[in-house]
Amino acid sequence: MGRIWIVALMAVLALGGEDLKVKITEDLPYVDVEVNGKIVRIQRIQDTNHKLRNSYIRTSRPAPPFYVQRFQPVEGVETIGELELLDFLQKKVNLDEGLLIDARMPQWFKQGTIPGAVNIPFSLFYSNRYTDRILSHLGVKIENGKRDFSNATELVIFDNGPWCQQAVREIKNLVQLGYPKEKIHYYRGGMQYWQILGLTTLKPE
Amino acid sequence: MRKIVVALIMGGLLAWGMSDKELAININLAGKQRMLTQRMAKDLLMVVAGIKSQEAKEDLRSSMELFDRTIKGLMQGDKGLGLVASKEQNVQEQLKKVYSLWLPFKERVERILSGNYSKEDVAYIKEHDLKLLEEMNRAVGFLVESGKASKAQKAQAINLAGKERMLTQRIAKDLLLLHLDPNSKEAKADLQESMALFERILKGLQHGDKELGLAPTQAPWIVAELQRAQEMWEEFKARVQKAKSKEDLAKLMEMSDALLAQMNKITKMYEAIYNRRKKIASINSIVNEFVEEKEGQKHVINLAGKQRMLTQKMSKEALLAALNQGSQQNLGQLRSDMELYDRTLQGFKKGDAELGLSATTNPEVLAAIQQVEQLWNPFKEHVERFLAQGSVKDLGYIVAKNEELLKRSNDLVQTFKRAYPTEGLMDESRREIVDIAGRQRMLTQKMTKEKLLVMLGVNPEENKRKLQETIALFDRSLHDLIHGNQERLLAKPSNKAIIQQFRKVETLWKQLKPLYEKDQLSDAEKELLMKGNVLLLKEMDKAVVLCESATEY
């Protein structure tokens, strides 16, 4: 995992966007996002011989719980890919109009996440003690125990990938609490697809 | 003007009673009021000069209404605008001062809008717009200062970017004043000062300005907008030099509005960064609290599980001491295990910071603790007497009662598990693994105790049967932990470190199992078993810790 970051960092230091060999799309070499007062550049690993060496090279995990998730596990919640996520980072997250949520348990999150993501573990929404406190930071107004979702923040939620159920559980919990489905997007590829494409990951401080 | 800017930076820092988001909204809207003072004066002059007078009138009305609503909102709160009334006395006093200046100003604006106005009304606006601006600026300063130090610096970018909006309108107003009176020295000086300040702040926002309290902007999307503002500004400046006709002036008014819109966009971007940082910090703090609570619960279940093991370990140590097997060492270990069991049990009830336990208030848990105490208190007395006198009677009590204590200790583990709800299949499965692996620790001690009882000839048949059951249970559980068992919710580990640790336990177990099963042991075998048993417990404990803490099982 460490090697990936070093490679990504070296690539950022060595190359400007125009010089990148491996761009995200023809017109998009990279995307910048603000993380803790610093600008982090998301781009692809430039070494075309690079291979993953972390646990995301695994094809199979014990099931249960690691069953493959449906493409659209919750009706009404849109499933998105990497480009839509990057677009969301640029147009929503950077302008505080949306939140990218890593729904995994903190020990996963600490090993590396998508730059710009905030960790809200799926299991938190099983606890009444924390639910409303978190919702109040997602644009939900809570008055006299009633939740008003009319100004709820737009969310993109992800986890380890299509074999992981943490994001789906979080989405289901949020929908059950009344969060508008149209305000939630599911990045099904998760950390596995993100890293398979050589996109920058970040170890939270 | 410069004095005001520096005062903003140097001002004392007071306690703050608003949320961070509310602070940012208040600073932004209070800052916008400064712009409105100049925009109204500019609109008025456009009406007087006959430049786009109808549009200017409409703009003047909406600026007046917005200023009026915002000043009231800043004083009393306004949900629609997202404003919360400040609790700071100096802010409130300053806002009242602004309001008392605003009322006669507003009266004149209304008269001008109705078309029924005098020269004096126009003169009043021209004379008082800067005073209104100055007092409004002071209110913004109090708002910025009343934030904490870290907030203040971040708020400064919002404040100064917002101030640029005002300057666009002030410059436009000065240009109109000069059009109406080309010889006005005051207007000329104010125009020069405003343009210089606009330029300095714009530069400071891009490259930093220590005196103004500005760090260079790093966010590329804001840098791009600042560069766009710079280009617009350069174009505006060039046109100011060449402006001669009324049409030139009308074009400059348009350009100043475009620059205002651009600076407004930039201010909102700074505000977004500020709000996002604060939002993430708040979310992180809640998540940390949640994680600490969950870790605490796991820790409690682990310690409760260890208590089960201690009941068997204490019995084993008492028997070893009675058999004269390393008596002093075993007696010493027995004392410390008794003290640990007692302290942990008290810790569950009253809390123990050193053990990482907080006092429980759950009635079901308290009842289960009481059940354990009813057995533990006399058990402890017998252990203490055994330690002091080494009497067979006390040893007999320990042997007779340890399994009942084990059962009640296990009931307490299950009560804790019920008290801390699980979060779905994954968490439930991991908890089951930790519980079963934790129980294995107890079984290592239980089977050793049973072996010793057989060796001592205490109820040999019954203890032999029990020993076989314990061996079988240890065997089966170790197999399920290594290979997984869906029915028992035990996932097969895929984590290399966990697999290796279980294999280590398995290897050790393969060496010890025949010794537990053998009827007669030589002295060397007895020693091997006693040493091996301690090692087995140690390695099993390592496996429990790994099962509990590994990211991926």
Side-chain angles (χ1 to χ4, degrees), chain A residues 32 34 58 61 65 93-94 96 106 111 119 123 129-130 133 137, chain B residues 220-221 272 276-277 279 282 287 289 291 293 423 426 494 551-552:
Chain A
D32 289 321
E34 203 243 15
R58 288 180 68 185
R61 285 174 172 79
V93 173
N94 278 340
D96 192 37
Q111 292 191 13
N119 184 214
S123 54
R129 266 189 72 187
Y130 298 95
R133 286 171 66 195
H137 292 287
Chain B
W221 55 97
R276 194 173 117 73
R277 278 185 204 162
K279 185 191 291 174
S282 301
V287 170
E289 201 184 311
V291 170
E293 188 189 312
E423 293 94 17
M426 269 186 298
S494 55
T551 306
E552 197 169 358

PDB file of all heavy atoms in Angstrom, chain A residues 32 34 58 61 65 93-94 96 106 111 119 123 129-130 133 137, chain B residues 220-221 272 276-277 279 282 287 289 291 293 423 426 494 551-552:
ATOM      1  N   ASP A  32      -8.316  17.848  -8.464  1.00  0.00           N
ATOM      2  CA  ASP A  32      -7.793  18.319  -7.177  1.00  0.00           C
ATOM      3  C   ASP A  32      -8.921  18.388  -6.149  1.00  0.00           C
ATOM      4  O   ASP A  32     -10.035  18.784  -6.475  1.00  0.00           O
ATOM      5  CB  ASP A  32      -7.178  19.721  -7.318  1.00  0.00           C
ATOM      6  CG  ASP A  32      -5.875  19.685  -8.108  1.00  0.00           C
ATOM      7  OD1 ASP A  32      -5.102  18.733  -7.924  1.00  0.00           O
ATOM      8  OD2 ASP A  32      -5.639  20.601  -8.919  1.00  0.00           O
ATOM      9  N   GLU A  34      -9.609  19.393  -1.811  1.00  0.00           N
ATOM     10  CA  GLU A  34      -9.019  19.938  -0.582  1.00  0.00           C
ATOM     11  C   GLU A  34      -9.232  18.965   0.576  1.00  0.00           C
ATOM     12  O   GLU A  34     -10.351  18.513   0.826  1.00  0.00           O
ATOM     13  CB  GLU A  34      -9.681  21.282  -0.248  1.00  0.00           C
ATOM     14  CG  GLU A  34      -8.803  22.160   0.615  1.00  0.00           C
ATOM     15  CD  GLU A  34      -9.374  22.480   1.974  1.00  0.00           C
ATOM     16  OE1 GLU A  34     -10.331  21.813   2.394  1.00  0.00           O
ATOM     17  OE2 GLU A  34      -8.843  23.372   2.624  1.00  0.00           O
ATOM     18  N   ARG A  58      -7.293  -9.720  -4.095  1.00  0.00           N
ATOM     19  CA  ARG A  58      -8.047 -10.953  -3.839  1.00  0.00           C
ATOM     20  C   ARG A  58      -9.335 -11.019  -4.655  1.00  0.00           C
ATOM     21  O   ARG A  58     -10.006 -10.014  -4.845  1.00  0.00           O
ATOM     22  CB  ARG A  58      -8.425 -11.032  -2.358  1.00  0.00           C
ATOM     23  CG  ARG A  58      -7.269 -11.314  -1.473  1.00  0.00           C
ATOM     24  CD  ARG A  58      -7.701 -11.371  -0.041  1.00  0.00           C
ATOM     25  NE  ARG A  58      -8.547 -12.525   0.218  1.00  0.00           N
ATOM     26  CZ  ARG A  58      -9.143 -12.745   1.379  1.00  0.00           C
ATOM     27  NH1 ARG A  58      -8.988 -11.887   2.349  1.00  0.00           N
ATOM     28  NH2 ARG A  58      -9.874 -13.810   1.564  1.00  0.00           N
ATOM     29  N   ARG A  61     -13.741 -13.805  -0.997  1.00  0.00           N
ATOM     30  CA  ARG A  61     -13.727 -13.719   0.459  1.00  0.00           C
ATOM     31  C   ARG A  61     -14.880 -14.549   1.007  1.00  0.00           C
ATOM     32  O   ARG A  61     -15.830 -14.838   0.268  1.00  0.00           O
ATOM     33  CB  ARG A  61     -13.889 -12.257   0.899  1.00  0.00           C
ATOM     34  CG  ARG A  61     -12.640 -11.449   0.697  1.00  0.00           C
ATOM     35  CD  ARG A  61     -12.877  -9.980   0.999  1.00  0.00           C
ATOM     36  NE  ARG A  61     -11.612  -9.263   0.978  1.00  0.00           N
ATOM     37  CZ  ARG A  61     -10.994  -8.871  -0.113  1.00  0.00           C
ATOM     38  NH1 ARG A  61     -11.527  -9.140  -1.290  1.00  0.00           N
ATOM     39  NH2 ARG A  61      -9.850  -8.224  -0.052  1.00  0.00           N
ATOM     40  N   PRO A  65     -19.920 -12.865   5.046  1.00  0.00           N
ATOM     41  CA  PRO A  65     -20.833 -11.811   4.606  1.00  0.00           C
ATOM     42  C   PRO A  65     -20.509 -11.243   3.218  1.00  0.00           C
ATOM     43  O   PRO A  65     -21.222 -10.383   2.742  1.00  0.00           O
ATOM     44  CB  PRO A  65     -20.601 -10.733   5.661  1.00  0.00           C
ATOM     45  CG  PRO A  65     -19.163 -10.892   6.020  1.00  0.00           C
ATOM     46  CD  PRO A  65     -18.818 -12.327   5.844  1.00  0.00           C
ATOM     47  N   VAL A  93     -18.327  18.415  -3.789  1.00  0.00           N
ATOM     48  CA  VAL A  93     -17.563  18.331  -2.532  1.00  0.00           C
ATOM     49  C   VAL A  93     -16.726  19.583  -2.320  1.00  0.00           C
ATOM     50  O   VAL A  93     -16.743  20.188  -1.247  1.00  0.00           O
ATOM     51  CB  VAL A  93     -16.685  17.060  -2.510  1.00  0.00           C
ATOM     52  CG1 VAL A  93     -15.759  17.048  -1.289  1.00  0.00           C
ATOM     53  CG2 VAL A  93     -17.571  15.817  -2.488  1.00  0.00           C
ATOM     54  N   ASN A  94     -15.996  19.999  -3.355  1.00  0.00           N
ATOM     55  CA  ASN A  94     -15.126  21.171  -3.217  1.00  0.00           C
ATOM     56  C   ASN A  94     -15.909  22.446  -2.905  1.00  0.00           C
ATOM     57  O   ASN A  94     -15.358  23.400  -2.377  1.00  0.00           O
ATOM     58  CB  ASN A  94     -14.304  21.380  -4.486  1.00  0.00           C
ATOM     59  CG  ASN A  94     -13.063  20.483  -4.502  1.00  0.00           C
ATOM     60  OD1 ASN A  94     -12.625  20.006  -3.463  1.00  0.00           O
ATOM     61  ND2 ASN A  94     -12.505  20.273  -5.674  1.00  0.00           N
ATOM     62  N   ASP A  96     -18.679  22.410  -1.072  1.00  0.00           N
ATOM     63  CA  ASP A  96     -19.474  22.097   0.121  1.00  0.00           C
ATOM     64  C   ASP A  96     -20.953  21.899  -0.214  1.00  0.00           C
ATOM     65  O   ASP A  96     -21.835  22.243   0.563  1.00  0.00           O
ATOM     66  CB  ASP A  96     -19.308  23.198   1.184  1.00  0.00           C
ATOM     67  CG  ASP A  96     -19.871  22.764   2.535  1.00  0.00           C
ATOM     68  OD1 ASP A  96     -19.720  21.586   2.876  1.00  0.00           O
ATOM     69  OD2 ASP A  96     -20.484  23.601   3.219  1.00  0.00           O
ATOM     70  N   PRO A 106     -13.733   2.024  10.724  1.00  0.00           N
ATOM     71  CA  PRO A 106     -12.552   2.897  10.761  1.00  0.00           C
ATOM     72  C   PRO A 106     -11.221   2.200  10.489  1.00  0.00           C
ATOM     73  O   PRO A 106     -10.323   2.786   9.897  1.00  0.00           O
ATOM     74  CB  PRO A 106     -12.574   3.469  12.174  1.00  0.00           C
ATOM     75  CG  PRO A 106     -13.985   3.400  12.562  1.00  0.00           C
ATOM     76  CD  PRO A 106     -14.560   2.189  11.920  1.00  0.00           C
ATOM     77  N   GLN A 111      -6.535   2.606   6.618  1.00  0.00           N
ATOM     78  CA  GLN A 111      -5.504   2.029   5.731  1.00  0.00           C
ATOM     79  C   GLN A 111      -5.434   2.723   4.376  1.00  0.00           C
ATOM     80  O   GLN A 111      -4.533   2.461   3.593  1.00  0.00           O
ATOM     81  CB  GLN A 111      -5.771   0.542   5.550  1.00  0.00           C
ATOM     82  CG  GLN A 111      -5.533  -0.210   6.841  1.00  0.00           C
ATOM     83  CD  GLN A 111      -5.528  -1.709   6.663  1.00  0.00           C
ATOM     84  OE1 GLN A 111      -5.470  -2.197   5.549  1.00  0.00           O
ATOM     85  NE2 GLN A 111      -5.586  -2.415   7.758  1.00  0.00           N
ATOM     86  N   ASN A 119     -15.161   9.573   6.878  1.00  0.00           N
ATOM     87  CA  ASN A 119     -15.559   8.248   7.340  1.00  0.00           C
ATOM     88  C   ASN A 119     -16.786   8.318   8.251  1.00  0.00           C
ATOM     89  O   ASN A 119     -16.736   8.896   9.330  1.00  0.00           O
ATOM     90  CB  ASN A 119     -14.380   7.598   8.080  1.00  0.00           C
ATOM     91  CG  ASN A 119     -14.657   6.177   8.529  1.00  0.00           C
ATOM     92  OD1 ASN A 119     -14.187   5.739   9.565  1.00  0.00           O
ATOM     93  ND2 ASN A 119     -15.403   5.429   7.752  1.00  0.00           N
ATOM     94  N   SER A 123     -22.111   1.146  10.713  1.00  0.00           N
ATOM     95  CA  SER A 123     -22.697   0.675  11.969  1.00  0.00           C
ATOM     96  C   SER A 123     -23.165   1.833  12.857  1.00  0.00           C
ATOM     97  O   SER A 123     -23.956   1.637  13.767  1.00  0.00           O
ATOM     98  CB  SER A 123     -21.688  -0.185  12.720  1.00  0.00           C
ATOM     99  OG  SER A 123     -20.489   0.515  12.878  1.00  0.00           O
ATOM    100  N   ARG A 129     -27.953   6.982  19.629  1.00  0.00           N
ATOM    101  CA  ARG A 129     -27.155   8.041  20.279  1.00  0.00           C
ATOM    102  C   ARG A 129     -26.440   8.930  19.282  1.00  0.00           C
ATOM    103  O   ARG A 129     -26.136  10.077  19.566  1.00  0.00           O
ATOM    104  CB  ARG A 129     -26.088   7.392  21.168  1.00  0.00           C
ATOM    105  CG  ARG A 129     -26.504   7.236  22.597  1.00  0.00           C
ATOM    106  CD  ARG A 129     -25.341   6.799  23.425  1.00  0.00           C
ATOM    107  NE  ARG A 129     -24.382   7.859  23.608  1.00  0.00           N
ATOM    108  CZ  ARG A 129     -23.203   7.696  24.180  1.00  0.00           C
ATOM    109  NH1 ARG A 129     -22.839   6.515  24.608  1.00  0.00           N
ATOM    110  NH2 ARG A 129     -22.368   8.697  24.329  1.00  0.00           N
ATOM    111  N   TYR A 130     -26.087   8.370  18.128  1.00  0.00           N
ATOM    112  CA  TYR A 130     -25.249   9.108  17.188  1.00  0.00           C
ATOM    113  C   TYR A 130     -25.989   9.563  15.920  1.00  0.00           C
ATOM    114  O   TYR A 130     -25.557  10.497  15.255  1.00  0.00           O
ATOM    115  CB  TYR A 130     -24.039   8.258  16.793  1.00  0.00           C
ATOM    116  CG  TYR A 130     -23.164   7.921  17.973  1.00  0.00           C
ATOM    117  CD1 TYR A 130     -23.312   6.729  18.658  1.00  0.00           C
ATOM    118  CD2 TYR A 130     -22.213   8.825  18.442  1.00  0.00           C
ATOM    119  CE1 TYR A 130     -22.534   6.429  19.769  1.00  0.00           C
ATOM    120  CE2 TYR A 130     -21.433   8.540  19.550  1.00  0.00           C
ATOM    121  CZ  TYR A 130     -21.602   7.333  20.209  1.00  0.00           C
ATOM    122  OH  TYR A 130     -20.825   7.059  21.305  1.00  0.00           O
ATOM    123  N   ARG A 133     -27.090  13.223  15.594  1.00  0.00           N
ATOM    124  CA  ARG A 133     -25.919  14.131  15.646  1.00  0.00           C
ATOM    125  C   ARG A 133     -25.225  14.156  14.287  1.00  0.00           C
ATOM    126  O   ARG A 133     -24.792  15.213  13.825  1.00  0.00           O
ATOM    127  CB  ARG A 133     -24.956  13.669  16.738  1.00  0.00           C
ATOM    128  CG  ARG A 133     -25.494  13.980  18.136  1.00  0.00           C
ATOM    129  CD  ARG A 133     -24.653  13.341  19.192  1.00  0.00           C
ATOM    130  NE  ARG A 133     -23.316  13.913  19.242  1.00  0.00           N
ATOM    131  CZ  ARG A 133     -22.296  13.339  19.879  1.00  0.00           C
ATOM    132  NH1 ARG A 133     -22.465  12.188  20.501  1.00  0.00           N
ATOM    133  NH2 ARG A 133     -21.116  13.916  19.892  1.00  0.00           N
ATOM    134  N   HIS A 137     -25.298  17.194  10.580  1.00  0.00           N
ATOM    135  CA  HIS A 137     -24.198  17.695   9.746  1.00  0.00           C
ATOM    136  C   HIS A 137     -24.389  17.336   8.278  1.00  0.00           C
ATOM    137  O   HIS A 137     -23.539  17.637   7.437  1.00  0.00           O
ATOM    138  CB  HIS A 137     -22.859  17.149  10.247  1.00  0.00           C
ATOM    139  CG  HIS A 137     -22.484  17.714  11.578  1.00  0.00           C
ATOM    140  ND1 HIS A 137     -22.051  19.005  11.744  1.00  0.00           N
ATOM    141  CD2 HIS A 137     -22.519  17.175  12.820  1.00  0.00           C
ATOM    142  CE1 HIS A 137     -21.825  19.232  13.023  1.00  0.00           C
ATOM    143  NE2 HIS A 137     -22.105  18.139  13.693  1.00  0.00           N
TER     144      HIS A 137
ATOM    145  N   PRO B 220      -7.069  25.172  -6.399  1.00  0.00           N
ATOM    146  CA  PRO B 220      -6.966  25.585  -7.802  1.00  0.00           C
ATOM    147  C   PRO B 220      -8.249  26.172  -8.368  1.00  0.00           C
ATOM    148  O   PRO B 220      -8.196  27.053  -9.219  1.00  0.00           O
ATOM    149  CB  PRO B 220      -6.602  24.280  -8.534  1.00  0.00           C
ATOM    150  CG  PRO B 220      -6.047  23.382  -7.494  1.00  0.00           C
ATOM    151  CD  PRO B 220      -6.728  23.747  -6.220  1.00  0.00           C
ATOM    152  N   TRP B 221      -9.421  25.668  -7.891  1.00  0.00           N
ATOM    153  CA  TRP B 221     -10.667  26.183  -8.441  1.00  0.00           C
ATOM    154  C   TRP B 221     -10.916  27.626  -7.985  1.00  0.00           C
ATOM    155  O   TRP B 221     -11.533  28.396  -8.716  1.00  0.00           O
ATOM    156  CB  TRP B 221     -11.846  25.277  -8.092  1.00  0.00           C
ATOM    157  CG  TRP B 221     -12.034  24.990  -6.636  1.00  0.00           C
ATOM    158  CD1 TRP B 221     -12.870  25.619  -5.779  1.00  0.00           C
ATOM    159  CD2 TRP B 221     -11.354  23.991  -5.858  1.00  0.00           C
ATOM    160  NE1 TRP B 221     -12.752  25.088  -4.514  1.00  0.00           N
ATOM    161  CE2 TRP B 221     -11.843  24.087  -4.526  1.00  0.00           C
ATOM    162  CE3 TRP B 221     -10.398  23.039  -6.145  1.00  0.00           C
ATOM    163  CZ2 TRP B 221     -11.391  23.261  -3.499  1.00  0.00           C
ATOM    164  CZ3 TRP B 221      -9.962  22.210  -5.119  1.00  0.00           C
ATOM    165  CH2 TRP B 221     -10.455  22.313  -3.826  1.00  0.00           C
ATOM    166  N   ALA B 272     -17.361  28.018   1.440  1.00  0.00           N
ATOM    167  CA  ALA B 272     -17.583  26.575   1.289  1.00  0.00           C
ATOM    168  C   ALA B 272     -16.431  25.778   1.904  1.00  0.00           C
ATOM    169  O   ALA B 272     -16.645  24.805   2.613  1.00  0.00           O
ATOM    170  CB  ALA B 272     -17.743  26.226  -0.192  1.00  0.00           C
ATOM    171  N   ARG B 276     -16.838  23.341   5.031  1.00  0.00           N
ATOM    172  CA  ARG B 276     -16.538  21.914   4.827  1.00  0.00           C
ATOM    173  C   ARG B 276     -15.548  21.415   5.878  1.00  0.00           C
ATOM    174  O   ARG B 276     -15.720  20.355   6.459  1.00  0.00           O
ATOM    175  CB  ARG B 276     -15.969  21.720   3.422  1.00  0.00           C
ATOM    176  CG  ARG B 276     -15.928  20.280   2.986  1.00  0.00           C
ATOM    177  CD  ARG B 276     -15.506  20.184   1.533  1.00  0.00           C
ATOM    178  NE  ARG B 276     -14.259  19.473   1.401  1.00  0.00           N
ATOM    179  CZ  ARG B 276     -14.122  18.176   1.556  1.00  0.00           C
ATOM    180  NH1 ARG B 276     -15.166  17.443   1.848  1.00  0.00           N
ATOM    181  NH2 ARG B 276     -12.953  17.585   1.421  1.00  0.00           N
ATOM    182  N   ARG B 277     -14.509  22.209   6.117  1.00  0.00           N
ATOM    183  CA  ARG B 277     -13.507  21.810   7.114  1.00  0.00           C
ATOM    184  C   ARG B 277     -14.158  21.622   8.473  1.00  0.00           C
ATOM    185  O   ARG B 277     -13.896  20.674   9.193  1.00  0.00           O
ATOM    186  CB  ARG B 277     -12.418  22.881   7.232  1.00  0.00           C
ATOM    187  CG  ARG B 277     -11.375  22.755   6.156  1.00  0.00           C
ATOM    188  CD  ARG B 277     -10.290  23.778   6.427  1.00  0.00           C
ATOM    189  NE  ARG B 277      -9.601  24.103   5.198  1.00  0.00           N
ATOM    190  CZ  ARG B 277      -8.865  25.179   5.030  1.00  0.00           C
ATOM    191  NH1 ARG B 277      -8.728  26.041   6.009  1.00  0.00           N
ATOM    192  NH2 ARG B 277      -8.257  25.400   3.898  1.00  0.00           N
ATOM    193  N   LYS B 279     -17.328  21.114   9.127  1.00  0.00           N
ATOM    194  CA  LYS B 279     -18.281  20.007   9.092  1.00  0.00           C
ATOM    195  C   LYS B 279     -17.545  18.685   9.281  1.00  0.00           C
ATOM    196  O   LYS B 279     -17.938  17.834  10.081  1.00  0.00           O
ATOM    197  CB  LYS B 279     -19.007  20.020   7.737  1.00  0.00           C
ATOM    198  CG  LYS B 279     -20.117  18.988   7.635  1.00  0.00           C
ATOM    199  CD  LYS B 279     -20.626  18.849   6.219  1.00  0.00           C
ATOM    200  CE  LYS B 279     -21.385  20.066   5.755  1.00  0.00           C
ATOM    201  NZ  LYS B 279     -21.750  19.998   4.343  1.00  0.00           N
ATOM    202  N   SER B 282     -16.354  18.164  12.810  1.00  0.00           N
ATOM    203  CA  SER B 282     -17.456  17.771  13.702  1.00  0.00           C
ATOM    204  C   SER B 282     -17.817  16.302  13.485  1.00  0.00           C
ATOM    205  O   SER B 282     -18.024  15.557  14.446  1.00  0.00           O
ATOM    206  CB  SER B 282     -18.698  18.625  13.441  1.00  0.00           C
ATOM    207  OG  SER B 282     -18.397  19.962  13.636  1.00  0.00           O
ATOM    208  N   VAL B 287     -17.682  10.512  15.099  1.00  0.00           N
ATOM    209  CA  VAL B 287     -17.282   9.142  14.730  1.00  0.00           C
ATOM    210  C   VAL B 287     -16.253   8.612  15.727  1.00  0.00           C
ATOM    211  O   VAL B 287     -16.329   7.456  16.155  1.00  0.00           O
ATOM    212  CB  VAL B 287     -16.755   9.095  13.265  1.00  0.00           C
ATOM    213  CG1 VAL B 287     -16.112   7.748  12.953  1.00  0.00           C
ATOM    214  CG2 VAL B 287     -17.886   9.368  12.285  1.00  0.00           C
ATOM    215  N   GLU B 289     -15.953   9.387  18.840  1.00  0.00           N
ATOM    216  CA  GLU B 289     -16.670   9.066  20.076  1.00  0.00           C
ATOM    217  C   GLU B 289     -17.353   7.705  19.942  1.00  0.00           C
ATOM    218  O   GLU B 289     -17.301   6.866  20.847  1.00  0.00           O
ATOM    219  CB  GLU B 289     -17.716  10.163  20.317  1.00  0.00           C
ATOM    220  CG  GLU B 289     -18.184  10.269  21.730  1.00  0.00           C
ATOM    221  CD  GLU B 289     -19.276  11.318  21.850  1.00  0.00           C
ATOM    222  OE1 GLU B 289     -19.104  12.450  21.351  1.00  0.00           O
ATOM    223  OE2 GLU B 289     -20.299  10.997  22.430  1.00  0.00           O
ATOM    224  N   VAL B 291     -16.535   5.267  17.854  1.00  0.00           N
ATOM    225  CA  VAL B 291     -15.525   4.202  17.773  1.00  0.00           C
ATOM    226  C   VAL B 291     -14.985   3.874  19.166  1.00  0.00           C
ATOM    227  O   VAL B 291     -14.842   2.703  19.523  1.00  0.00           O
ATOM    228  CB  VAL B 291     -14.377   4.619  16.821  1.00  0.00           C
ATOM    229  CG1 VAL B 291     -13.205   3.650  16.905  1.00  0.00           C
ATOM    230  CG2 VAL B 291     -14.890   4.696  15.391  1.00  0.00           C
ATOM    231  N   GLU B 293     -16.509   4.210  21.948  1.00  0.00           N
ATOM    232  CA  GLU B 293     -17.541   3.473  22.687  1.00  0.00           C
ATOM    233  C   GLU B 293     -17.537   2.005  22.266  1.00  0.00           C
ATOM    234  O   GLU B 293     -17.586   1.109  23.098  1.00  0.00           O
ATOM    235  CB  GLU B 293     -18.912   4.102  22.434  1.00  0.00           C
ATOM    236  CG  GLU B 293     -19.986   3.510  23.330  1.00  0.00           C
ATOM    237  CD  GLU B 293     -21.393   3.948  22.957  1.00  0.00           C
ATOM    238  OE1 GLU B 293     -21.611   5.145  22.762  1.00  0.00           O
ATOM    239  OE2 GLU B 293     -22.267   3.076  22.869  1.00  0.00           O
ATOM    240  N   GLU B 423     -24.112  -4.921  15.035  1.00  0.00           N
ATOM    241  CA  GLU B 423     -24.433  -4.083  13.878  1.00  0.00           C
ATOM    242  C   GLU B 423     -24.481  -4.900  12.601  1.00  0.00           C
ATOM    243  O   GLU B 423     -23.835  -4.589  11.635  1.00  0.00           O
ATOM    244  CB  GLU B 423     -23.400  -2.965  13.724  1.00  0.00           C
ATOM    245  CG  GLU B 423     -23.437  -1.952  14.818  1.00  0.00           C
ATOM    246  CD  GLU B 423     -22.468  -2.274  15.919  1.00  0.00           C
ATOM    247  OE1 GLU B 423     -21.558  -3.086  15.687  1.00  0.00           O
ATOM    248  OE2 GLU B 423     -22.643  -1.741  17.028  1.00  0.00           O
ATOM    249  N   MET B 426     -21.717  -9.050   9.919  1.00  0.00           N
ATOM    250  CA  MET B 426     -20.256  -9.028   9.994  1.00  0.00           C
ATOM    251  C   MET B 426     -19.762  -8.865  11.427  1.00  0.00           C
ATOM    252  O   MET B 426     -18.930  -9.601  11.897  1.00  0.00           O
ATOM    253  CB  MET B 426     -19.705  -7.885   9.161  1.00  0.00           C
ATOM    254  CG  MET B 426     -19.423  -8.315   7.766  1.00  0.00           C
ATOM    255  SD  MET B 426     -18.624  -7.020   6.876  1.00  0.00           S
ATOM    256  CE  MET B 426     -19.846  -5.767   6.930  1.00  0.00           C
ATOM    257  N   SER B 494      -9.104 -15.419   6.620  1.00  0.00           N
ATOM    258  CA  SER B 494      -8.301 -15.275   5.409  1.00  0.00           C
ATOM    259  C   SER B 494      -7.072 -14.415   5.699  1.00  0.00           C
ATOM    260  O   SER B 494      -6.181 -14.291   4.878  1.00  0.00           O
ATOM    261  CB  SER B 494      -9.142 -14.633   4.305  1.00  0.00           C
ATOM    262  OG  SER B 494      -9.662 -13.414   4.769  1.00  0.00           O
ATOM    263  N   THR B 551      -8.099  -5.822  10.651  1.00  0.00           N
ATOM    264  CA  THR B 551      -9.071  -5.150   9.779  1.00  0.00           C
ATOM    265  C   THR B 551      -9.880  -6.185   9.013  1.00  0.00           C
ATOM    266  O   THR B 551     -11.093  -6.158   8.974  1.00  0.00           O
ATOM    267  CB  THR B 551      -8.330  -4.252   8.766  1.00  0.00           C
ATOM    268  OG1 THR B 551      -7.482  -3.395   9.482  1.00  0.00           O
ATOM    269  CG2 THR B 551      -9.299  -3.464   7.919  1.00  0.00           C
ATOM    270  N   GLU B 552      -9.157  -7.079   8.372  1.00  0.00           N
ATOM    271  CA  GLU B 552      -9.840  -8.099   7.571  1.00  0.00           C
ATOM    272  C   GLU B 552      -9.587  -9.435   8.225  1.00  0.00           C
ATOM    273  O   GLU B 552      -8.434  -9.820   8.436  1.00  0.00           O
ATOM    274  CB  GLU B 552      -9.309  -8.090   6.136  1.00  0.00           C
ATOM    275  CG  GLU B 552     -10.228  -8.797   5.199  1.00  0.00           C
ATOM    276  CD  GLU B 552      -9.863  -8.571   3.738  1.00  0.00           C
ATOM    277  OE1 GLU B 552      -8.913  -7.828   3.461  1.00  0.00           O
ATOM    278  OE2 GLU B 552     -10.525  -9.152   2.898  1.00  0.00           O
TER     279      GLU B 552
END
